[in-house]
Amino acid sequence: MDAVTIKTPEEIEKMRELGRLVAEALDYIGQFVKPGVTTNEIDKLVYDYHVNVQGGFPAPLNYGNPPYPKSCCTSVNHVICHGIPDDKPLKEGDILNIDLTIKKDGFHGDSSRMFAVGEIKPVAQRLIDVTHESMMAGIEAVKPGATLGDIGYACQQIAENAGYSVVQEFCGHGIGRKFHEAPQVLHYGRKGQGLVLEPGMIFTIEPMINQGKRHLRILPDGWTVVTKDRMLSAQWEHEVLVTDTGYEILTVSPMTGRP
């Protein structure tokens, strides 16, 4: 990976705009998550919203190798990440992560949220809540002079103290003109280790937390990642700017004002 880019004030302004756009898209799409809806229907809505309403483009579409075939990732129940939208209807009690990335004017905005499909079990809600808490603990560790290890340690403590495990093969990432830039942001680690944070860095914090063991497998499609023990997995993702005094979350929901 290349060196970590420190964003200029102009680039930070663009990244604020892109962060707002992706958060607005998640606000918009949330209303369609209900039993009977297919993830393909959600995917079409995402494409239409990014392109026709927001004037951007879904960055996941045709990204990577093999080229990712859809406009967003929809990870249901035991799918950890990169679930490919399909024609299977969502059912009551499912949990769903929707991961969106919009590209516009040469910049990217990337965020994901968990959604409950109808009424879900308390054990599923607890996993969702603890995963959000894990992400927020990681975000709260961000400030100039802190390290990437501080972020990973904070995420890991919350998850493991709740009896869950942290996926280690996938991580957060720098973002800006590229979808994925340096640094890699692990969601486990040791305090004081790794890259020292500086104002102007922008990266995602996106812990993937499993109800059971951390082990995973990747399906033959080359993208879909599932828990090996088929137990539930949850993920939240925000984009964070290192400021002079701490952090700024660039992907807060405009609808609720909450991260």
Side-chain angles (χ1 to χ4, degrees):
M1 264 202 168
D2 312 327
V4 178
T5 61
I6 303 295
K7 308 294 190 278
T8 66
E10 294 76 24
E11 289 173 324
I12 289 169
E13 220 25 72
K14 282 306 291 183
M15 290 299 287
R16 278 196 185 105
E17 182 195 330
L18 269 290
R20 193 191 73 246
L21 288 175
V22 78
E24 280 174 356
L26 282 164
D27 282 346
Y28 165 75
I29 212 67
Q31 66 188 311
F32 299 102
V33 176
K34 42 179 76 109
V37 171
T38 70
T39 47
N40 257 343
E41 288 169 326
I42 288 169
D43 187 72
K44 288 188 179 73
L45 290 162
V46 167
Y47 179 90
D48 182 59
Y49 195 77
H50 281 339
V51 174
N52 298 323
V53 178
Q54 298 183 311
F57 189 78
L61 188 58
N62 296 319
Y63 181 84
N65 188 17
Y68 187 77
K70 299 287 178 171
S71 298
C72 66
C73 298
T74 51
S75 301
V76 182
N77 295 337
H78 70 288
V79 179
I80 295 171
C81 61
H82 305 156
I84 300 172
D86 61 22
D87 286 326
K88 190 176 171 194
L90 294 169
K91 61 187 190 303
E92 185 89 14
D94 283 344
I95 63 171
L96 167 69
N97 175 276
I98 300 180
D99 191 345
L100 304 186
T101 309
I102 183 172
K103 182 175 186 180
K104 185 179 180 180
D105 303 333
F107 289 87
H108 293 79
D110 184 7
S111 184
S112 88
R113 291 182 202 162
M114 291 301 297
F115 296 92
V117 182
E119 287 287 313
I120 63 171
K121 290 182 175 159
V123 288
Q125 188 61 54
R126 179 173 180 265
L127 176 66
I128 289 173
D129 294 344
V130 170
T131 303
H132 186 269
E133 199 185 324
S134 168
M135 172 188 67
M136 292 308 298
I139 290 171
E140 281 154 19
V142 173
K143 59 176 195 258
T147 67
L148 287 179
D150 296 344
I151 296 172
Y153 176 84
C155 293
Q156 184 177 13
Q157 288 303 301
I158 296 289
E160 292 182 354
N161 287 341
Y164 299 138
S165 59
V166 179
V167 172
Q168 298 190 1
E169 291 83 349
F170 294 89
C171 59
H173 53 89
I175 185 166
R177 292 178 189 275
K178 290 186 189 161
F179 189 166
H180 296 96
E181 302 179 352
Q184 292 193 328
V185 182
L186 303 179
H187 304 109
Y188 63 97
R190 293 206 195 125
K191 279 184 174 177
Q193 296 204 332
L195 181 79
V196 176
L197 306 183
E198 296 173 48
M201 291 179 175
I202 297 178
F203 47 78
T204 68
I205 297 177
E206 47 179 302
M208 286 145 264
I209 307 299
N210 293 350
Q211 198 177 28
K213 294 193 165 63
R214 70 171 184 83
H215 307 292
L216 55 80
R217 58 191 193 91
I218 299 176
L219 298 189
D221 60 35
W223 282 103
T224 309
V225 183
V226 299
T227 57
K228 212 166 183 179
D229 57 16
R230 306 273 300 184
M231 292 182 79
L232 296 177
S233 185
Q235 180 187 22
W236 292 84
E237 174 183 16
H238 272 310
E239 219 172 86
V240 183
L241 163 70
V242 185
T243 65
D244 291 334
T245 54
Y247 66 86
E248 178 187 338
I249 302 174
L250 303 181
T251 43
V252 169
S253 161
M255 194 191 286
T256 66
R258 292 198 303 271

